[in-house]
Amino acid sequence: MDIQGLFKEYYRKNPVPPPPSIERREFAFTTFSSSGMIRHISFKNPEEMNRYIIERIPRHAYYSTAYYSDPSAPEMEDKGWQGADMVFDIDVDHIDTPCKPLHDTWRCKACGAHGRGLALKCPVCGSESLERQTWVCDRCISVAREEALKLIDILEEDLGISRSEMIPVFSGHRGFHIHVEDKALIDLEQEARREIADYVRGLGIDPDLYIERTGDLYKYKYPSTAPGWRGRIAMHLALRGKEDTPLPREELKKLIMECVAEARANIDEKVTMDVKRLIRLPGTLHGKTGLKVLPLTIQQLEAMDAASIIERAVALPDTPVSVEMEEWPRRVLGFTFSEDGSKKTVPLYLAVYLVLNSPTARILSIG
């Protein structure tokens, strides 16, 4: 199966929309024939960008969140940084979703132990040297969607960022990017972006500042209508029926921090802080899944479930094909598989995802 040919056919029929101010962006690509990244590319207009994509057929395509006066300069210090969009990255790879035992596996390079689910180190010998096989299913995307909606709510309600300036993008793999194209934020330096990232993650909250004494016990002292984290914590206490309940001091503090953990947005802070980040180009195909990097409106993100988002991100044909693979994930995208047999019939777009991620997967026949 010529996966590169499938990508070419997609790009021939589907021009990629340009990012704003395309002439001030750096672009970068990887190809099917090389693992290295081709950087310091710039385009004057959308037509030039799409000609390049059709001719080169990239496996992965990125553009800079930063604006430059000379984006094609080979040295970063010569590009002339003029500001950067703020981007938040939500990736379920960092979240212990309940579906991971259904599709993720690990094997310890040190002792050979192996198992299913999320493992940061070997539970047998403690080694952190693990080989991992990870997959994405609709349940993963559902968790990431909830995190994205929490983030959007914090940005809008607490930081006053307009919905019209936030663009949620399904990454085509494990989660979402939230692009913020607010001119008031473009000039922010790295440290200011770190503070925003810390805020949405609920870092630095001291529960002692949120409680007051009542007799021998303590109670939470802010109503749910209070701005920022004060009201956000109150709402989560109310969901537990504990908003007015006097409790021992340490018990109440522990409860408050549990509410913070529920309410915070699990983002990759390194992406938000980076003022020269390369981010996936919406409208292109993700080279590890074949799914489309899909821009959405906030209203669409709120209305669509994970299955609908995946369905809309499918960009390759659904022709039935026979696939052979040694160890099948029990669940991937919206499909559930039994452990019986190494050969199964699946849609072509899913076969591409399997082949791009498993060295043992191969397409046997079409139709």
Side-chain angles (χ1 to χ4, degrees):
M1 174 57 60
D2 180 12
I3 294 177
Q4 187 176 1
L6 291 172
F7 274 48
K8 182 176 183 177
E9 186 66 10
Y10 168 81
Y11 287 127
R12 195 178 64 79
K13 296 178 179 177
N14 299 276
V16 175
S21 301
I22 180 174
E23 72 283 359
R24 293 197 288 154
R25 307 282 192 169
E26 178 195 355
F27 289 79
F29 304 93
T30 66
T31 68
F32 283 88
S33 57
S34 171
S35 59
M37 180 176 282
I38 304 168
R39 290 199 58 172
H40 313 304
I41 306 294
S42 66
F43 302 109
K44 295 185 177 69
N45 52 57
E47 293 75 20
E48 192 177 24
M49 178 188 74
N50 275 290
R51 278 198 301 273
Y52 182 97
I53 290 174
I54 291 174
E55 290 172 1
R56 303 296 183 96
I57 319 170
R59 180 167 179 175
H60 299 279
Y62 308 88
Y63 77 105
S64 66
T65 60
Y67 302 87
Y68 299 109
S69 58
D70 185 4
S72 60
E75 302 295 336
M76 295 303 295
E77 57 268 29
D78 295 332
K79 289 184 182 294
W81 188 83
Q82 297 179 326
D85 298 328
M86 187 172 290
V87 176
F88 298 86
D89 178 36
I90 293 168
D91 187 334
V92 290
D93 200 25
H94 306 299
I95 303 172
D96 189 12
T97 59
C99 53
K100 279 187 166 56
L102 295 176
H103 47 66
D104 289 0
T105 59
W106 57 269
R107 181 179 297 277
C108 178
K109 294 180 181 178
C111 72
H114 57 90
R116 287 183 173 272
L118 176 66
L120 301 178
K121 62 182 180 180
C122 176
V124 177
C125 71
S127 172
E128 296 182 356
S129 181
L130 304 178
E131 288 180 351
R132 296 183 177 88
Q133 181 79 65
T134 61
W135 302 92
V136 175
C137 73
D138 52 347
R139 297 172 188 174
C140 300
I141 301 306
S142 181
V143 171
R145 173 184 169 276
E146 291 299 322
E147 292 296 323
L149 291 174
K150 281 195 296 183
L151 171 63
I152 289 168
D153 184 62
I154 294 173
L155 294 177
E156 182 180 25
E157 296 296 329
D158 295 10
L159 302 181
I161 297 175
S162 169
R163 285 185 159 217
S164 64
E165 293 165 328
M166 290 188 272
I167 303 170
V169 178
F170 173 53
S171 70
H173 195 201
R174 296 183 162 279
F176 295 87
H177 302 149
I178 307 298
H179 296 238
V180 179
E181 297 176 350
D182 185 333
K183 292 181 180 177
L185 303 177
I186 283 179
D187 295 330
L188 288 183
E189 300 288 347
Q190 190 176 58
E191 191 55 35
R193 294 171 191 251
R194 180 202 297 275
E195 291 182 11
I196 292 175
D198 287 351
Y199 182 85
V200 302
R201 296 164 68 212
L203 296 186
I205 289 177
D206 181 355
D208 274 322
L209 301 177
Y210 293 72
I211 62 178
E212 60 186 3
R213 192 168 189 130
T214 173
D216 294 334
L217 298 174
Y218 289 81
K219 69 174 185 178
Y220 190 74
K221 64 181 182 181
Y222 296 109
S224 59
T225 53
W229 275 104
R230 289 172 291 174
R232 205 169 289 282
I233 293 169
M235 285 189 284
H236 279 262
L237 285 171
L239 290 173
R240 295 169 176 238
K242 299 287 188 180
E243 69 272 33
D244 297 319
T245 306
L247 293 168
R249 179 176 178 172
E250 293 306 315
E251 184 178 340
L252 181 55
K253 288 168 60 179
K254 180 173 180 289
L255 185 59
I256 288 172
M257 295 313 294
E258 289 175 357
C259 291
V260 171
E262 289 175 358
R264 71 186 178 196
N266 286 293
I267 63 167
D268 183 346
E269 74 279 7
K270 295 188 293 296
V271 174
T272 302
M273 291 166 48
D274 194 342
V275 297
K276 298 177 181 176
R277 191 78 182 184
L278 292 171
I279 200 80
R280 288 192 180 276
L281 180 60
T284 59
L285 300 181
H286 194 298
K288 289 194 73 175
T289 64
L291 295 176
K292 181 180 178 181
V293 182
L294 179 68
L296 299 164
T297 64
I298 292 176
Q299 290 75 17
Q300 287 173 325
L301 183 65
E302 290 172 332
M304 297 169 71
D305 60 13
S308 301
I309 293 169
I310 292 173
E311 181 179 0
R312 191 160 176 168
V314 169
L316 302 179
D318 60 358
T319 311
V321 297
S322 177
V323 175
E324 182 180 59
M325 193 163 67
E326 285 184 5
E327 185 175 7
W328 286 76
R330 293 174 191 167
R331 190 167 183 85
V332 60
L333 299 183
F335 296 84
T336 300
F337 296 107
S338 69
E339 295 182 351
D340 300 332
S342 61
K343 299 177 184 177
K344 303 182 190 301
T345 299
V346 301
L348 177 56
Y349 66 83
L350 178 58
V352 169
Y353 179 22
L354 298 172
V355 170
L356 288 172
N357 285 270
S358 172
T360 70
R362 64 191 182 102
I363 297 173
L364 300 175
S365 61
I366 298 177

